[in-house]
Amino acid sequence: MTTLAHISDLHFGTETPEIVEGLLQDLVAVEPSLVVVSGDLTQRARRKQFVAARLFLDRIPFPKLVVPGNHDIPLFDVVRRFARPLARFRRYINEDVDPFFATDAVAVLGMNTARSNTWKDGRLSLAQIDDIRKKLGPLPPHVSKVLVTHHPFLPPPGDPSPPLVGRAAEALRAAEACGVDLVLAGHLHCGYTGDIRTHHGHIRRAILVAQAGTATSHRVRNEANSYNVIRLSPQRLGFALRVWDGKGFHEARFVEYVKSGADWQPAGHDPAVS
Ligand SMILES: [Fe+2]
Ligand SMILES: [Fe+2]
């Protein structure tokens, strides 16, 4: 069993210090195998904000995989935005903006979707989609395969309006061919889980999705600060939503899926009677 902590949209510069401390305490209690950070570590890509994000990451005593978000590219400093968009991210957070983490049980591929020209919306390149095939394709079926981006592949339930990551359809085709089980993203400051097929009709096999809310910023959108704890094995995948209640994080929702052939089904669902 592998435990992933999925945190996102930290937005240092607009963080609530009490929640930052609460998150660190909660992560230590959860003891994840890997902490995934799906972008927007800063509010305005300022040096001071990156320093604060770096200090926060240094206090997490577990392996970390971090991708940038659109807020990690400067918006108003146009010279820096186009000439060196991720220079500060590379300097303070990680030189590699498409990081890869793998054990015998899990392989996690992070992909940078932040772009200078469409500052808010994100995109994948054809080379990144090729990397999905190269890095995840050869792995055996018992390895759980996970993609991480900042921009989402699946809109929130009941609201198809938010733009999805550019080239989502092509990337999902590659992900399906490689047996990807799970996609993690953020950006919308809204925590939800789902099956990619509810929005992408061309995908035949379940690829599960977890979107994380903002873990630490006061820029919430109608829901409390939260993050996801994901427990995965070749046969089971459980999503726990951990929500800030003013004093600490607690589990507010739990959803579990079980493997059925090559597919994932909600636990308790009998495919024979559907
Ligand atoms: Fe954000
Ligand atoms: Fe974002």
Side-chain angles (χ1 to χ4, degrees), residues 10 17 36 75 80 101 106 119 125 130-132 142 203 220 260:
L10 308 170
V36 171
L75 176 59
R80 187 176 282 277
F101 172 91
V106 66
W119 182 81
S125 68
D130 216 31
D131 259 3
I132 298 174
H142 70 267
I203 300 297
V220 291
S260 170

Short mmCIF file of all heavy atoms in Angstrom, two decimals, residues 10 17 36 75 80 101 106 119 125 130-132 142 203 220 260:
data_model
loop_
_atom_site.label_atom_id
_atom_site.label_comp_id
_atom_site.label_asym_id
_atom_site.label_seq_id
_atom_site.Cartn_x
_atom_site.Cartn_y
_atom_site.Cartn_z
N LEU A 10 -0.84 26.30 -2.73
CA LEU A 10 -0.41 26.80 -1.42
C LEU A 10 -0.45 28.33 -1.40
O LEU A 10 -0.77 28.94 -0.39
CB LEU A 10 1.00 26.30 -1.11
CG LEU A 10 1.18 24.78 -1.24
CD1 LEU A 10 2.64 24.40 -1.16
CD2 LEU A 10 0.40 24.06 -0.15
N PRO A 17 -0.93 31.42 8.25
CA PRO A 17 0.15 30.72 8.96
C PRO A 17 -0.34 29.58 9.85
O PRO A 17 0.31 28.52 9.90
CB PRO A 17 0.78 31.84 9.81
CG PRO A 17 0.49 33.09 9.05
CD PRO A 17 -0.86 32.88 8.41
N VAL A 36 2.79 15.01 -3.01
CA VAL A 36 2.65 15.60 -4.34
C VAL A 36 2.13 17.02 -4.18
O VAL A 36 1.13 17.24 -3.50
CB VAL A 36 1.67 14.77 -5.19
CG1 VAL A 36 1.35 15.50 -6.49
CG2 VAL A 36 2.23 13.39 -5.47
N LEU A 75 3.18 37.49 -13.50
CA LEU A 75 2.10 38.00 -14.35
C LEU A 75 2.40 39.40 -14.84
O LEU A 75 2.31 39.68 -16.03
CB LEU A 75 0.78 37.98 -13.55
CG LEU A 75 -0.44 38.57 -14.26
CD1 LEU A 75 -0.76 37.83 -15.55
CD2 LEU A 75 -1.65 38.53 -13.32
N ARG A 80 10.35 39.27 -17.27
CA ARG A 80 10.63 38.00 -16.61
C ARG A 80 9.62 36.92 -17.05
O ARG A 80 9.99 35.75 -17.24
CB ARG A 80 10.55 38.20 -15.09
CG ARG A 80 10.98 37.01 -14.26
CD ARG A 80 10.96 37.35 -12.80
NE ARG A 80 12.12 38.13 -12.41
CZ ARG A 80 13.30 37.61 -12.11
NH1 ARG A 80 13.48 36.31 -12.15
NH2 ARG A 80 14.30 38.37 -11.77
N PHE A 101 8.98 10.22 -10.10
CA PHE A 101 9.27 9.48 -8.87
C PHE A 101 8.80 8.06 -9.09
O PHE A 101 7.68 7.83 -9.55
CB PHE A 101 8.50 10.12 -7.70
CG PHE A 101 8.57 9.36 -6.40
CD1 PHE A 101 9.56 9.62 -5.46
CD2 PHE A 101 7.62 8.37 -6.11
CE1 PHE A 101 9.61 8.93 -4.25
CE2 PHE A 101 7.67 7.67 -4.91
CZ PHE A 101 8.66 7.96 -3.98
N VAL A 106 4.81 2.17 -7.28
CA VAL A 106 4.14 3.35 -7.85
C VAL A 106 5.11 4.15 -8.71
O VAL A 106 6.31 4.21 -8.41
CB VAL A 106 3.54 4.23 -6.71
CG1 VAL A 106 4.63 4.84 -5.85
CG2 VAL A 106 2.64 5.32 -7.24
N TRP A 119 -1.38 32.98 -19.65
CA TRP A 119 -0.93 32.93 -18.26
C TRP A 119 -1.83 32.09 -17.38
O TRP A 119 -1.36 31.28 -16.58
CB TRP A 119 -0.80 34.35 -17.68
CG TRP A 119 -0.30 34.30 -16.27
CD1 TRP A 119 1.00 34.16 -15.86
CD2 TRP A 119 -1.09 34.32 -15.08
NE1 TRP A 119 1.06 34.10 -14.50
CE2 TRP A 119 -0.20 34.20 -13.99
CE3 TRP A 119 -2.45 34.45 -14.84
CZ2 TRP A 119 -0.65 34.21 -12.66
CZ3 TRP A 119 -2.90 34.45 -13.53
CH2 TRP A 119 -1.99 34.33 -12.45
N SER A 125 2.83 19.88 -23.88
CA SER A 125 3.48 19.84 -25.20
C SER A 125 3.42 18.41 -25.73
O SER A 125 3.19 17.45 -24.97
CB SER A 125 4.94 20.29 -25.09
OG SER A 125 5.67 19.33 -24.35
N ASP A 130 4.66 12.51 -25.22
CA ASP A 130 5.56 11.42 -25.58
C ASP A 130 6.24 10.83 -24.34
O ASP A 130 6.47 9.63 -24.24
CB ASP A 130 6.62 11.97 -26.55
CG ASP A 130 6.98 10.94 -27.58
OD1 ASP A 130 6.10 10.13 -27.92
OD2 ASP A 130 8.15 10.91 -28.00
N ASP A 131 6.55 11.70 -23.39
CA ASP A 131 7.18 11.26 -22.13
C ASP A 131 6.26 10.34 -21.32
O ASP A 131 6.75 9.47 -20.59
CB ASP A 131 7.54 12.48 -21.26
CG ASP A 131 9.01 12.80 -21.37
OD1 ASP A 131 9.70 12.13 -22.16
OD2 ASP A 131 9.45 13.73 -20.67
N ILE A 132 4.96 10.57 -21.41
CA ILE A 132 4.01 9.67 -20.73
C ILE A 132 4.24 8.26 -21.26
O ILE A 132 4.38 7.29 -20.51
CB ILE A 132 2.54 10.10 -20.97
CG1 ILE A 132 2.28 11.50 -20.40
CG2 ILE A 132 1.57 9.07 -20.37
CD1 ILE A 132 0.90 12.05 -20.73
N HIS A 142 1.52 -4.21 -12.25
CA HIS A 142 1.34 -4.07 -10.80
C HIS A 142 1.83 -2.72 -10.27
O HIS A 142 1.60 -2.39 -9.11
CB HIS A 142 2.06 -5.22 -10.06
CG HIS A 142 3.55 -5.12 -10.12
ND1 HIS A 142 4.30 -5.76 -11.09
CD2 HIS A 142 4.45 -4.43 -9.36
CE1 HIS A 142 5.58 -5.48 -10.91
NE2 HIS A 142 5.70 -4.67 -9.87
N ILE A 203 -12.35 7.91 -23.96
CA ILE A 203 -11.54 7.04 -23.09
C ILE A 203 -12.41 5.86 -22.63
O ILE A 203 -13.53 6.05 -22.15
CB ILE A 203 -10.99 7.83 -21.88
CG1 ILE A 203 -10.11 8.98 -22.37
CG2 ILE A 203 -10.22 6.92 -20.93
CD1 ILE A 203 -8.87 8.60 -23.13
N VAL A 220 -9.92 31.04 -0.91
CA VAL A 220 -10.76 29.85 -1.11
C VAL A 220 -11.96 30.22 -1.97
O VAL A 220 -12.32 31.38 -2.07
CB VAL A 220 -11.25 29.26 0.24
CG1 VAL A 220 -10.11 28.64 1.02
CG2 VAL A 220 -11.94 30.33 1.07
N SER A 260 -11.38 -4.02 -11.21
CA SER A 260 -12.24 -5.05 -11.76
C SER A 260 -11.73 -5.33 -13.18
O SER A 260 -11.96 -4.53 -14.08
CB SER A 260 -13.68 -4.56 -11.77
OG SER A 260 -14.49 -5.43 -12.50
#
